[in-house]
């Protein structure tokens, strides 16, 4: 289950925080892509992984370098391939957020609420500890009221 931080100070010192998902993906994650990335790339960007560093665009079937994926798609893939790091959510659209919130593990951060309407169970973490929340309303209340 994904763990969410809403205050940078709540991120444990032993966790690396990544603000620039695009740069991190291009320098690290792109080289690790395998068959697990295929569904994500198709679902978020409507593109097809056709080679180690190439995608087929949904627009006119043009072949593009993998760095042309959207920042939201790159964020999901970063979280999938580096579940021990904390990634910023700010560049994600709803389609990417829905997939991130459904991941089995990983860590994300945003200081303001970024919540898809169809969210299941997630972990929320502050300095005081972590707890499980379920559904849009409960997560929204935590984000708005928890100090």
């Amino acid at each position: 289950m994904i763990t969410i931080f809403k205050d940078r100070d709540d991120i444990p010192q032993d966790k690396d925080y990544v603000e620039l998902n695009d740069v991190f993906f291009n320098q690290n994650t792109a080289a690790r892509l395998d068959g697990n990335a295929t569904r994500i790339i198709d679902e978020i960007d409507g593109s097809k992984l056709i080679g180690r560093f190439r995608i087929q665009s949904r627009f006119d079937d043009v072949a593009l370098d993998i760095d042309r994926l959207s920042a939201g798609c790159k964020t999901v893939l970063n979280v999938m391939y580096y579940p021990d790091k904390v990634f910023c959510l700010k560049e994600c659209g709803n389609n990417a957020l829905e997939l991130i919130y459904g991941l089995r593990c990983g860590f994300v951060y945003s200081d303001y609420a970024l919540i898809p309407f169809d969210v299941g169970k997630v972990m929320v973490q502050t300095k005081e500890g972590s707890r499980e929340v379920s559904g849009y309303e409960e997560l929204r209340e935590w984000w708005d009221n928890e100090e």
Side-chain angles (χ1 to χ4, degrees):
M1 163 179 341
I2 202 81
T3 299
I4 304 165
F5 299 96
K6 69 173 183 174
D7 188 326
R8 291 262 317 255
D9 292 336
D10 291 336
I11 299 172
Q13 293 294 323
D14 66 338
K15 296 257 180 248
D16 291 333
Y17 171 65
V18 178
E19 179 86 20
L20 302 173
N21 284 295
D22 191 82
V23 172
F24 185 88
F25 176 89
N26 293 342
Q27 293 178 348
N28 300 283
T29 309
R32 297 180 100 183
L33 296 184
D34 57 18
N36 294 322
T38 304
R39 180 184 66 85
I40 302 299
I41 291 169
D42 179 50
E43 195 165 331
I44 295 175
D45 284 357
S47 297
K48 181 180 177 185
L49 188 61
I50 58 172
R52 184 167 169 102
F53 298 106
R54 304 285 284 170
I55 57 171
Q56 183 176 343
S57 171
R58 67 178 173 207
F59 304 108
D60 298 327
D61 295 328
V62 174
L64 301 169
D65 291 334
I66 196 84
D67 68 339
R68 303 296 291 215
L69 289 171
S70 69
C73 187
K74 289 178 179 183
T75 303
V76 174
L77 294 168
N78 286 342
V79 174
M80 280 178 51
Y81 286 92
Y82 291 90
D84 56 325
K85 297 186 184 304
V86 180
F87 293 94
C88 182
L89 289 178
K90 294 178 183 179
E91 298 173 303
C92 293
N94 280 340
N95 56 351
L97 289 171
E98 288 174 6
L99 291 175
I100 287 174
Y101 281 79
L103 292 174
R104 290 183 307 166
C105 62
F107 298 93
V108 295
Y109 160 79
S110 178
D111 54 357
Y112 54 87
L114 289 167
I115 311 168
F117 286 111
D118 188 22
V119 63
K121 293 180 183 179
V122 297
M123 293 297 290
V124 294
Q125 186 168 335
T126 63
K127 285 184 179 133
E128 286 74 42
S130 61
R131 68 181 172 99
E132 188 176 289
V133 297
S134 184
Y136 177 87
E137 292 298 327
E138 189 176 354
L139 184 55
R140 183 69 194 211
E141 183 178 322
W142 171 79
W143 227 307
D144 289 344
N145 300 318
E146 192 82 19
E147 295 300 325

